[in-house]
Structure formats: structure tokens, C-alpha cells
Amino acid sequence: MLQNKNILLCITGSIACYKSVDLYRKLKKEGANVKIAVSASAAKFISPYIFESFGEEVFEDDAFKSPLSHIALSKFADIILIAPATYNTINKLAAGIADTLITLTAAAAPDKPKILVPAMNPNMYANKILKENLEKLCAFNFSVVSPETGNAACGDYGEGKFPEIDDIIFGVKSVFKKKTLKGKKVLVTAGATREYLDPVRFMSNGSSGKMGIGIANAAVQAGAEVTLIALNIGDRIKYINRHIKIINRTDFSGLKEVLLSEFKKTDILFMAAAVSDYGFKEKSPVKIKKSGNKGAGGTLQIELMQNEDLLKAVSKIKKIGQIVFGFAAETDSAIENGRKKLAEKSLDYIFVNDVSKDIIGGDENEGFLINKSGEIKSFKRENKESLAEKLIDEIN
Ligand code: CTP
């Protein structure tokens, strides 16, 4: 999404300045053209020579040396990314003060999107002057990637830490996305349910939750308010954007209870979770012992009981205007089976994966999107994140 986009990375003087080197490298990796502007105090924290070593021209804060730099930079930028943005710079921007290269450039680019990544002491970040000014700037083509909570360099604890690089990249990409789901509430399920036989053993499948996480993140970028019901997704939780409300559940009954209540508040449901079709008829409250069996080669009989189909349960409470998007895992006759499921489960869309092709648990996916009118669209193999963005675009 950032391929060939022109990004002006502006660095102002916070202790977090050194992190902007990683940010620069990630922007380049994403294919962006990056120019760098460094304030006088930032140049004391990090040497512009770092960026020059990567072959970049660094614009320093000397308006008298090159009086028209701010105009050239404002014309270059598709986005002005001020990271870190200090208390001083944010408040100056809000007051319309333009006395440094960075504030001048922002002033010369009123119509360009500008992103602020504040990083400062928690008390300074909590200061109402700053809060009011951030709000004010958001009405003038600025957006904010808010800081994290943690220990500041000075030892104080609170909100003000420079966010993770991936969060900033996510914010930059969001600027390029149309806000087609603004005002919509999206519910996503991701991962695999576990059916427990006893407190230790369970039955499950290899679904990683990556597709559902991709859908949830793409929906945030499209402006939706997103809730994700996460089923046993382990440390993949770190890939979920922090604006997403996460509800963790483990088994079929936990999922059913929260899904049916959350669905009532939802405009669009993406049912990406791999739900167990069967659970154990009886669950032992204690660990089942092998003693009593006949030793190696002996058998153990366990009865399974079919679970309810949750999408069918959802269709019974579905109201006009609500959209339900299902997924199907097929190893053969993908389109035929997908059509059948779309009809049986009263879906608006179904994405059919051919799971015989190494898709479950992998980073990539491919398949067919079928809608209620029977139209079919084929999607070639690509990573789950970018496929998710395309599926979100289809909903629009
Ligand atoms: N699903 C559901 N409730 C279940 C099983 C599946 O809501 N008990 C949902 C899945 O989340 C998915 C869709 O139904 O969105 C299709 O799931 P899939 O496993 O492909 O199909 P099943 O309906 O379980 O049918 P089968 O396993 O026989 O192919």
C-alpha cells in the first residue's frame, strides 16, 4: 500500500528520536519514497549522518541556508509524518506558528494528510493544553497515532511512550484507505475452537486466526469500529491493531454465547473462525487415566456429539441491513460446496478456501468469493493481510 508513496518523515526532539531510524527503514521496506527533515533539537539526539549513510538527503532546520526547502518538501509529500512529535511542536502547529523547517512545511501543506506521533513524559501528554490542541489539529488534516502506556525515559509511568513501529505503519497506511466502513460496527471471529475431553486434552484444528486478524485490521483501516472474538490465537494477538476490542474465548459454547450477544450490536459479521463441528458427549472433570485399559493396542471409545451451526443460529436473529460473511474450508468441489453453504446458512457472502493447498495455518490464502446473487470472483494466492483488504473492499 505504501509502494511509491512520498512520505516526509519529520523528526522532532524527543528521547524517542532514535526509534525513527527503525521507522524510516520500515517505510523503505514497504516501498515508500522517504525524505527526512530533522529539527535542531532532534539533530542533538540523533545524527543526521545515520540517514545520510542510507543514501538519504536530510533536511536540517536552517531556513536561511535553503529558504525554499519547506515549499519543496510540502510539494513532495503525500503524507507528512511527524514522529516523534514533541509537546512543543504539536502546540506550535495548533497555534499556527511556523518558525522551524518542520512547522513551516506543515503550514505550507494545509491539504496534505499529516500524522502526529506524540512521544513525551506522561504528565506532559496528559496536559489539557496538549489534548485540546491535538483535537484542534484533527479538524485540520492531522491525525494522531497515540502513544503507548509504559515507563518513560525519566522513569514516570503512564501514556506517552513512542508506539510500536507497526502501529505507526498501520496509521500511515490507514491514511491511504477510503473510510468506506466509517460508522459501521464490525464483528470478526478468528482462530479455532477447542473442545475439551478432560482438563488436559482437547480436540481442535490448525486454523491460526491470521485471516480473521487480517479482516479485523483491514476493517479498522476502512474506518469501522471492530470487535474480534479470538479463539486460541496464541501470540498472534500482537498482530491485532490496538483499536480493536478483543474478546477471548476457548470453546464452542463460549464462542456461541458471546457471538449471539455481540451480533445484535453488529452491522457486518465476518465468521472466519474454524468452529468445531463436534464436541465430546461427556467431558471428564478430572484427567482420564490410561490405567484400566488393556495396555498398548487397547482402545478407548469416546462419543462425539454434533455442535449447532452458529451461522444458522445467527441467521435466525439477523435483521434487515445486517451483513453476514462466512468462510468455507473445502478440499474438493469448492464452488459447489460454497454455494450450498451460502444458501443453507443464509449468508450475504462466502469466501471459499481450497484447504487442500496448504492454506490452513499458513500466511497465504486463495479462493473464491461468492455473493448472494451467485456472482463469483476468484482471488489468486497472496498474503492473508492483503487478501483481507480486498475482501473488505468487496463489501463496500
Ligand atoms: N461454522 C459455524 N458453526 C459451526 C461450524 C462452522 O458457524 N458449527 C461456520 C464457520 O465459521 C464458517 C462456515 O460456517 O464461516 C463454514 O464452515 P466450514 O467448516 O467450511 O463448514 P461446515 O458448515 O462446518 O461444514 P463441513 O465441515 O461439513 O464442510
Side-chain angles (χ1 to χ4, degrees):
M1 208 190 284
L2 299 184
Q3 198 70 36
N4 295 324
K5 295 282 189 262
N6 292 338
I7 296 173
L8 175 63
L9 173 59
C10 299
I11 306 169
T12 63
S14 144
I15 181 70
C17 274
Y18 70 95
K19 295 182 180 172
S20 53
V21 180
D22 284 342
L23 176 57
Y24 157 77
R25 299 205 68 184
K26 193 72 200 271
L27 288 167
K28 290 297 281 186
K29 216 170 147 195
E30 294 276 343
N33 306 317
V34 186
K35 285 192 194 289
I36 294 148
V38 184
S39 76
S41 45
K44 289 187 183 149
F45 282 104
I46 46 161
S47 164
Y49 188 62
I50 296 176
F51 299 103
E52 282 161 1
S53 309
F54 290 117
E56 301 296 344
E57 186 183 357
V58 178
F59 295 82
E60 290 194 57
D61 201 8
D62 189 349
F64 293 101
K65 221 159 100 189
S66 34
L68 292 177
S69 298
H70 62 293
I71 303 298
L73 289 175
S74 70
K75 287 187 179 154
F76 157 81
D78 294 319
I79 286 189
I80 297 176
L81 171 61
I82 308 179
T86 59
Y87 181 91
N88 188 37
T89 298
I90 294 169
N91 290 330
K92 278 206 283 193
L93 287 167
I97 295 170
D99 63 346
T100 61
L101 176 63
I102 290 170
T103 50
L104 275 162
T105 306
D111 298 330
K112 299 277 177 84
K114 293 170 280 293
I115 301 177
L116 296 164
V117 184
M120 61 195 73
N121 167 277
N123 292 330
M124 291 169 79
Y125 187 67
N127 191 316
K128 286 201 175 115
I129 296 172
L130 182 93
K131 287 279 150 77
E132 266 186 29
N133 281 334
L134 283 174
E135 234 169 77
K136 179 178 173 188
L137 287 165
C138 287
F140 295 97
N141 267 332
F142 282 83
S143 58
V144 179
V145 175
S146 46
E148 280 180 13
T149 300
N151 282 318
C154 59
D156 285 354
Y157 182 83
E159 200 178 1
K161 258 177 82 116
F162 195 72
E164 293 293 324
I165 302 297
D166 283 346
D167 280 332
I168 303 171
I169 298 289
F170 188 88
V172 174
K173 287 182 178 174
S174 297
V175 168
F176 293 105
K177 287 297 287 181
K178 287 196 195 120
K179 299 289 171 264
T180 44
L181 296 184
K182 200 172 164 65
K184 299 288 177 209
K185 291 198 166 80
V186 166
L187 178 64
V188 184
T189 65
T193 52
R194 284 180 184 178
E195 295 302 299
Y196 276 86
L197 174 63
D198 66 18
V200 185
R201 287 106 174 184
F202 60 83
M203 175 171 65
S204 189
N205 61 73
S207 174
S208 62
K210 287 177 195 160
M211 196 63 222
I213 293 170
I215 292 279
N217 287 340
V220 170
Q221 283 184 327
E225 191 186 313
V226 183
T227 300
L228 178 75
I229 306 175
L231 297 145
N232 310 303
I233 60 169
D235 66 358
R236 277 176 290 281
I237 202 149
K238 63 177 182 258
Y239 299 114
I240 302 174
N241 180 265
R242 60 197 161 118
H243 296 107
I244 294 171
K245 178 181 164 197
I246 304 172
I247 304 174
N248 285 299
R249 287 294 182 271
T250 307
D251 59 7
F252 172 84
S253 58
L255 168 63
K256 180 183 168 186
E257 173 256 322
V258 71
L259 173 71
L260 295 182
S261 82
E262 287 293 319
F263 180 69
K264 293 180 192 139
K265 308 174 237 167
T266 295
D267 296 302
I268 310 168
L269 166 66
F270 290 89
M271 190 73 179
V275 185
S276 315
D277 287 329
Y278 291 89
F280 295 105
K281 193 167 174 200
E282 275 162 33
K283 181 182 163 183
S284 169
V286 291
K287 187 179 172 224
I288 297 172
K289 292 283 177 199
K290 67 173 180 290
S291 58
N293 208 319
K294 295 180 189 101
T299 56
L300 174 68
Q301 297 260 339
I302 299 167
E303 264 190 290
L304 301 179
M305 203 172 65
Q306 195 171 329
N307 284 330
E308 190 182 355
D309 190 292
L310 293 178
L311 281 176
K312 285 186 185 165
V314 158
S315 75
K316 288 188 190 134
I317 55 168
K318 183 182 169 189
K319 299 214 173 72
I320 294 171
Q322 282 184 301
I323 292 175
V324 178
F325 191 122
F327 287 78
E330 303 296 341
T331 51
D332 60 300
S333 314
I335 294 180
E336 194 187 322
N337 287 331
R339 277 205 178 111
K340 226 159 110 192
K341 285 179 187 172
L342 180 105
E344 281 171 7
K345 299 176 190 237
S346 311
L347 304 176
D348 298 281
Y349 298 89
I350 192 159
F351 186 77
V352 194
N353 311 275
D354 182 347
V355 290
S356 61
K357 293 182 179 167
D358 227 11
I359 276 168
I360 292 189
D363 289 334
E364 295 183 329
N365 199 357
E366 64 181 86
F368 303 96
L369 178 68
I370 311 176
N371 70 15
K372 243 189 341 194
S373 331
E375 289 159 349
I376 301 174
K377 200 165 177 175
S378 162
F379 289 83
K380 290 209 185 87
R381 183 171 278 247
E382 63 181 307
N383 77 55
K384 287 180 176 172
E385 263 171 49
S386 55
L387 176 64
E389 284 167 20
K390 288 185 182 152
L391 295 180
I392 290 289
D393 289 344
E394 289 296 326
I395 289 281
N396 302 327

